[in-house]
Amino acid sequence: MKIDNVLCAFEFNGEPVSCQEFGKGRINSTFMIQTDTGKAYVLQLINKRVFKDPVKLMENASRVTNYLLERTDGCYTTLRYMQTKSGTYCHQDEQGEYWRMYEFVPGIGLDAPDSDEDLYQCALAFGWFQNLLADFPADSLHETIPCFHNTIDRYQKLKESIAADVMGRADSVRAEIDYLLSREEIAGTIQRKLDSGELPLRVTHNDTKLNNVLLDPITHQSVCVLDLDTVLPGSSLYDYGDSVRFGAANGGEDAEDPSLVSLNLHLFEVYTKGYLEAVTSLTEKEIDLLPIGALVITLELATRFLKDYLDGDIYFKIKEPHHNLLRARNQIALAQDMEQKMTDMEAIVRSLRRTLSKCSI
Ligand code: GN1
Ligand code: MG
């Protein structure tokens, strides 16, 4: 069996006794490997269409995890990637596919918070990650997906897909296209400020969904930050915003009825409080722009899902034919609700900032 050959390439403890598909990633394929020692590992087939250079991806991920392991204060578990027998962090099989493996970390990943505390724990974990990497040289990381959160470029690519209209779907989604194009200016806000130097370039995770933080199954304390595939130079506002987009919404990316999707202002406050408590290095400008960060990344995801629908669903895994369109509609509904609530979001950030600055005096 192919997976047996792949496993043979890696150094790890014990003999594999079972291999099962695992996880809910939209990009890579993931397997859980149990061994006869009781130790378990996660084996992943890296999606080459998305990650054109898996070797560079693993160079970024292993440099970051090794850096975290050297500095960790014991608060969090850091992913430990297994090396291949030739001393690399990924294995290329006979079909040219790339695989990587890491030690399984027990815990639960939630698609929606069970309680406020879950989201707060997620904020603390991503805040810890941001703080510990504050002095890591961001520009030394490979740009494994060029322009990943460059929303100006994302809009350009959406327009190209609308013009090409390879599936003949553009006319049926005119309302969604019109809304997104009408928000092009605001969607470029963060990128323009990064380009001008008004916002600092940081090492960012770039996929800060709640389910990318493992929680202890009993205490629900955050244990480990997962999925370092998109650790890249970027803006803290995208990391903060993506957590809000995913974790502080009523109705998730796959919600069945977009009219029920909205921003939960209470959860917005919970996440923002945890993030501001945990991240000590944000500039005043970054704090001012937190609510815009949430809106911009939501618009970005809407453009990406809609583009993939127009392109014929070639990027995100789908479970039914209109899945990407539904995801785009859900993100649009969330973005529209954030626009309505922008003044409230800004007031929450101002009030938290005042409270936290008093605490630190
Ligand atoms: C993808 O596969 P997963 O769930 O880790 C995507 C993210 C999106 C996310 C939306 C490399 O992440 O950017 O925010 O889906 N990852 C990549 O759920 O494109
Ligand atoms: Mg990911």
Side-chain angles (χ1 to χ4, degrees):
M1 181 190 151
K2 191 173 155 193
I3 290 220
D4 288 336
N5 294 338
V6 173
L7 286 170
C8 277
F10 286 92
E11 298 273 12
F12 59 98
N13 287 329
E15 287 301 316
V17 291
S18 70
C19 165
Q20 276 180 328
E21 267 206 72
F22 175 72
K24 294 183 190 152
R26 305 201 190 290
I27 307 288
N28 297 322
S29 301
T30 306
F31 304 88
M32 163 78 86
I33 311 293
Q34 300 286 352
T35 69
D36 57 359
T37 63
K39 214 167 161 55
Y41 296 88
V42 175
L43 180 71
Q44 285 185 307
L45 171 63
I46 302 175
N47 182 328
K48 263 196 315 183
R49 210 171 8 84
V50 172
F51 298 108
K52 308 271 185 256
D53 193 335
V55 174
K56 287 197 172 140
L57 178 157
M58 285 312 294
E59 232 172 271
N60 280 358
S62 57
R63 279 186 64 209
V64 165
T65 49
N66 290 336
Y67 186 94
L68 291 174
L69 283 165
E70 279 164 22
R71 284 160 184 79
T72 194
D73 40 13
C75 286
Y76 288 95
T77 304
T78 297
L79 281 189
R80 282 176 190 273
Y81 293 108
M82 311 317 293
Q83 291 200 340
T84 63
K85 290 183 177 146
S86 45
T88 57
Y89 284 104
C90 68
H91 164 69
Q92 189 177 22
D93 69 16
E94 300 97 38
Q95 281 76 38
E97 300 294 343
Y98 286 88
W99 298 80
R100 55 114 181 275
M101 194 174 180
Y102 57 86
E103 281 180 11
F104 171 69
V105 182
I108 50 170
L110 297 175
D111 289 332
D114 284 344
S115 68
D116 293 358
E117 181 64 18
D118 290 344
L119 198 60
Y120 180 72
Q121 286 293 322
C122 172
L124 296 185
F126 284 126
W128 165 86
F129 185 85
Q130 179 72 83
N131 270 345
L132 230 57
L133 289 165
D135 292 327
F136 187 104
D139 50 12
S140 70
L141 290 170
H142 303 293
E143 207 182 345
T144 45
I145 303 187
C147 300
F148 189 57
H149 283 322
N150 180 333
T151 311
I152 297 173
D153 187 68
R154 291 284 180 194
Y155 262 78
Q156 203 44 47
K157 297 208 169 98
L158 173 65
K159 287 187 211 165
E160 285 164 17
S161 292
I162 298 168
D165 195 17
V166 290
M167 303 297 289
R169 289 173 165 176
D171 277 344
S172 65
V173 292
R174 207 40 78 184
E176 287 78 6
I177 291 174
D178 287 349
Y179 168 74
L180 286 175
L181 294 184
S182 73
R183 298 304 189 265
E184 184 169 1
E185 175 69 17
I186 188 138
T189 310
I190 295 176
Q191 188 58 44
R192 285 192 298 273
K193 291 186 191 300
L194 273 178
D195 291 343
S196 70
E198 214 181 316
L199 286 171
L201 192 70
R202 300 189 181 277
V203 177
T204 44
H205 180 281
N206 294 305
D207 195 8
T208 51
K209 303 189 287 195
L210 177 65
N211 57 18
N212 276 334
V213 172
L214 277 183
L215 303 178
D216 181 286
I218 315 264
T219 64
H220 275 219
Q221 286 218 324
S222 44
V223 174
C224 180
V225 172
L226 297 178
D227 187 0
L228 304 180
D229 285 349
T230 45
V231 170
L232 293 168
S235 168
S236 59
L237 295 170
Y238 291 128
D239 273 4
Y240 161 84
D242 211 18
S243 292
V244 167
R245 173 189 78 77
F246 191 87
N250 298 312
E253 282 179 3
D254 293 342
E256 279 168 23
D257 182 355
S259 73
L260 301 178
V261 175
S262 61
L263 178 74
N264 181 321
L265 271 179
H266 172 67
L267 291 179
F268 172 82
E269 179 164 4
V270 168
Y271 190 87
T272 309
K273 178 171 180 290
Y275 196 71
L276 288 178
E277 280 171 9
V279 188
T280 51
S281 50
L282 294 185
T283 63
E284 293 290 303
K285 191 81 205 164
E286 283 173 298
I287 300 177
D288 284 345
L289 287 168
L290 290 174
I292 294 290
L295 173 62
V296 167
I297 195 84
T298 307
L299 289 168
E300 184 195 299
L301 264 292
T303 66
R304 291 173 63 192
F305 289 136
L306 192 65
K307 171 183 161 44
D308 202 27
Y309 180 69
L310 292 170
D311 292 348
D313 309 301
I314 52 176
Y315 187 93
F316 294 105
K317 289 184 195 166
I318 54 166
K319 295 206 175 108
E320 43 93 16
H322 297 293
H323 201 161
N324 275 319
L325 176 58
L326 179 66
R327 288 169 175 155
R329 286 185 170 146
N330 286 333
Q331 295 303 300
I332 288 173
L334 182 58
Q336 289 174 334
D337 194 53
M338 283 179 180
E339 290 174 344
Q340 297 290 319
K341 292 175 177 158
M342 190 49 70
T343 315
D344 297 320
M345 291 159 78
E346 285 166 354
I348 288 171
V349 171
R350 269 197 307 277
S351 151
L352 285 170
R353 174 194 251 164
R354 267 198 307 274
T355 317
L356 290 170
S357 66
K358 273 188 209 138
C359 293
S360 59
I361 291 169

